Amino acid sequence: MTGAGFSWNLLTDIREMWSFPFMVNAFRAGAIVAVVAGVMGWFMVLRRQSFAGHTLALAAFPGAAGATLIGISAAYGYFGCCMAAAVVIALATRHRGSAGSRATESALTGVVQAVTLACGLLFVALYRGFLNGTTALLFGSFLGITAGQVVLLAGAGLVVLAAAAVAGRPLLFASVDPGVARAQGIPVGALSAGFLVLLGAAVAETAQITGALLVFALLVMPAATAQRLTLRPLASLVLTAVIGWLVTWAGLFAAFYSPYPIGFYVTSFAFAAYLAAQLAAAARGRARRSPALAGAGVPA
Amino acid sequence: MSILAPPFLQHAFLAGTAIAAACGLAGFFLVLRAQVFTGDALSHVAFTGALAALAAGIDLRLGLFVTTIAVAVGLGVLGTRGRADDVVIGNVFAWVLGIGVFFLTIYTTSRSSSNGTAGISVLFGSIFGLSSGQAVTAAAIGAGIVVVVAAISRPLLFASLDEGVAAARGVPVRALGIGFLAAVGATAAEATQAVGALLLLGLLAAPAATALLLTARPYLGLAISACLAVAEMWAGLGLAFAAPALPPSFAIIAVAAAAYLAVFAGSRLRRRTGSRAVAPATS
């Protein structure tokens, strides 16, 4: 992607970039999906459900390919397939906590993932000749996002965020300590199934911009970074959304002025932020430990 | 299988058998140790390795094996006791995938002679496209992985089922975990050539999960897992040969998933009828 060329005057660059309507749409859509994926990813990381999240994200591929095959709007395919995969995983892993359930749960998630991807391959093979489209489905493309799509993304994103806001407090409680939450009368099982469906909706939305394979980067990386930086729930939730937003916009910016794809930039920026947070946390831990040891003489 | 079968099918059966056996054995331990997500990460890493090799113009298999084994050892070292945290795994492999896209772009734009389908065939495999040399190499490496996993299966089983006791008895739990992950990495690189980086997880997880539903005895389960994987590979190859519209990778995974689904439904049904039979006695 090249405009008139990159200059070190960033304001001029941004003005030039935003003179293209498709770039404005890309920035709007990017901001929406980054915030939605960040918020849902924050709960996903907290609940240690990365594998399920990744599997739901991959369901976007057969969804879009299948929709193209039968000739309906890809948006139906994205939402339908990701949320269907969420329901399957939620139903099959209802009995969490029993002996050996972690092994069966992860095996089952793996099988679901392989089947969805195999179906995607089948749809592509049956459709024939959308080979270039296949890479876009998997790795995303920020070109050709229409204003209508942005409105759809914003609407669906608002629904997901509203549901997350309503269920947020009990979901947080159930995620951190399911045993106590159950004893307090919180419907832990229903919450966890509902969470997976919401996560499915969020990844369906994100996959339309980032592609099925790279949704996971926006889900897990900003959340892991923020949770490393602060332990307070609300602060790290907000930080997650901000980090996701920033890396997505930075990725769009870099991709516009270079021949390399957006997925590469977004994942690299997000990973750099994660590494920085890890180092900062390690340094802070060391700094806190040494004065305590030196001052009071008590082991920390 | 007659002697008259076309050569590409013979190659596919030769390589497929060894690959499936390796996947069945390694996958059994992967499921037993609840490390399927690590297998998932390694399979995606295989994509980056293959594309890096293609972009650099070297043998694809070199890139595959070096990358997957290096990342496997890295994940093992990062985690405690040779098991990595799933958030760490997620961050690492999301980034590695991003690098894979970078190499894909370099490869498709810079090499004018390249075929545009290389990325797709790395992702989804091309077992019917193996040459006889490739098939023999794949079979030899697959057999090597089978021997290695079988050799470490006794201590690995001990360490997987009861890590604390195994460590107390002097089993090198951490080294075993890392060595096992390296074997999984090699398996992933190997299986990428058959069913592709995206689908090999099915070959790792489905036969093993089916075997674990069928029996609680570990060695029997290990044997069932390997045999099931090979049988599913053969059935899938046969199906894809009989119905050319089906891509072979899809056929293999579909057969494996169907077998798992059947056994899963069967075990649920048995448990339900079992509990119904018990219910009148207890109430």
Side-chain angles (χ1 to χ4, degrees):
Chain A
M1 204 52 234
T2 42
F6 179 71
S7 72
W8 282 106
N9 186 346
L10 295 182
L11 272 179
T12 332
D13 289 337
I14 290 175
R15 197 171 304 138
E16 180 194 83
M17 212 162 34
W18 286 358
S19 67
F20 297 97
F22 74 88
M23 280 313 286
V24 176
N25 283 338
F27 272 83
R28 285 182 185 145
I32 295 166
V33 300
V35 170
V36 173
V39 169
M40 295 315 291
W42 187 82
F43 284 104
M44 181 192 85
V45 169
L46 196 70
R47 299 170 60 82
R48 308 265 142 191
Q49 284 188 313
S50 300
F51 192 24
H54 181 231
T55 301
L56 294 185
L58 292 179
F61 172 55
T68 314
L69 181 64
I70 59 175
I72 57 171
S73 161
Y76 294 119
Y78 278 114
F79 283 102
C81 212
C82 291
M83 289 165 82
V87 170
V88 169
I89 294 181
L91 282 180
T93 58
R94 261 177 311 179
H95 312 284
R96 290 189 81 173
S98 58
S101 68
R102 226 160 63 85
T104 20
E105 189 180 324
S106 73
L108 195 131
T109 313
V111 177
V112 170
Q113 181 185 118
V115 171
T116 49
L117 286 173
C119 287
L121 170 64
L122 179 69
F123 297 153
V124 170
L126 290 179
Y127 186 78
R128 290 165 208 283
F130 83 116
L131 222 51
N132 288 324
T134 311
T135 0
L137 285 185
L138 290 170
F139 298 114
S141 150
F142 60 92
L143 302 174
I145 299 166
T146 60
Q149 246 177 315
V150 174
V151 172
L152 179 72
L153 288 177
L158 274 180
V159 171
V160 170
L161 287 182
V166 170
R169 281 185 72 88
L171 184 61
L172 182 62
F173 192 13
S175 308
V176 175
D177 198 334
V180 175
R182 194 174 288 123
Q184 296 262 336
I186 291 175
V188 175
L191 266 180
S192 117
F195 168 71
L196 276 177
V197 174
L198 269 189
L199 188 62
V203 297
E205 166 144 338
T206 314
Q208 302 183 30
I209 311 298
T210 61
L213 278 175
L214 297 173
V215 176
F216 189 60
L218 280 183
L219 280 179
V220 77
M221 286 168 150
T225 309
Q227 291 187 7
R228 208 81 188 87
L229 288 176
T230 172
L231 289 174
R232 285 181 300 158
L234 197 61
S236 73
L237 193 56
V238 171
L239 197 57
T240 302
V242 171
I243 294 173
W245 188 331
L246 282 180
V247 295
T248 310
W249 276 24
L252 274 170
F253 188 93
F256 183 79
Y257 283 108
S258 77
Y260 304 117
I262 175 171
F264 166 65
Y265 287 113
V266 170
T267 52
S268 295
F269 293 154
F271 191 68
Y274 174 69
L275 275 188
Q278 286 280 27
L279 291 178
R284 204 166 45 179
R286 197 166 303 150
R288 195 177 299 156
R289 216 172 304 145
S290 44
L293 279 173
V298 205
Chain B
M1 271 305 292
S2 75
I3 202 93
L4 295 171
F8 77 88
L9 197 59
Q10 293 176 4
H11 300 156
F13 266 92
L14 176 64
T17 306
I19 290 170
C23 283
L25 289 181
F28 183 77
F29 285 108
L30 213 54
V31 172
L32 202 63
R33 295 163 67 85
Q35 282 187 312
V36 182
F37 188 44
T38 316
D40 182 26
L42 291 177
S43 66
H44 286 71
V45 164
F47 167 70
T48 302
L51 277 225
L54 284 175
I58 55 174
D59 190 342
L60 184 143
R61 285 172 290 179
L62 190 66
L64 271 177
F65 281 98
V66 169
T67 320
T68 51
I69 295 178
V71 172
V73 171
L75 286 179
V77 171
L78 271 181
T80 52
R81 292 195 170 175
R83 298 183 192 209
D85 178 32
D86 71 335
V87 175
V88 175
I89 300 174
N91 275 292
V92 169
F93 100 77
W95 182 53
V96 172
L97 258 182
I99 299 175
V101 189
F102 174 70
F103 284 128
L104 178 67
T105 313
I106 291 187
Y107 177 63
T108 49
T109 53
S110 73
R111 294 184 171 258
S112 50
S113 59
S114 71
N115 55 340
T117 60
I120 301 296
S121 77
V122 168
L123 286 171
F124 295 110
S126 54
I127 194 165
F128 280 169
L130 293 177
S131 70
S132 75
Q134 286 170 326
V136 170
T137 318
I141 296 174
I145 296 171
V146 168
V147 169
V148 168
V149 175
I152 62 168
S153 67
R154 217 184 129 76
L156 187 61
L157 206 55
F158 191 13
S160 308
L161 293 175
D162 198 332
E163 203 168 297
V165 176
R169 290 279 291 271
V171 175
V173 173
R174 188 177 158 82
L176 260 182
I178 295 175
F180 169 65
L181 279 185
V184 175
T187 313
E190 173 83 353
T192 301
Q193 302 167 56
V195 293
L198 286 183
L199 298 184
L200 71 91
L201 189 66
L203 217 45
L204 282 173
T210 316
L212 278 171
L213 284 176
L214 284 172
T215 176
R217 301 213 316 246
Y219 285 111
L220 187 61
L222 196 57
I224 291 180
S225 174
C227 293
L228 259 181
V230 171
E232 287 161 357
M233 172 67 79
W234 287 352
L237 286 176
L239 191 63
F241 184 64
L246 295 180
S249 308
F250 169 79
I252 295 163
I253 300 302
V255 171
Y260 175 67
L261 189 67
V263 173
F264 186 76
S267 76
R268 276 283 158 94
L269 211 65
R270 207 167 40 198
R271 195 185 304 164
R272 193 162 302 160
T273 50
S275 61
R276 200 177 298 152
V278 169
T282 51
S283 64

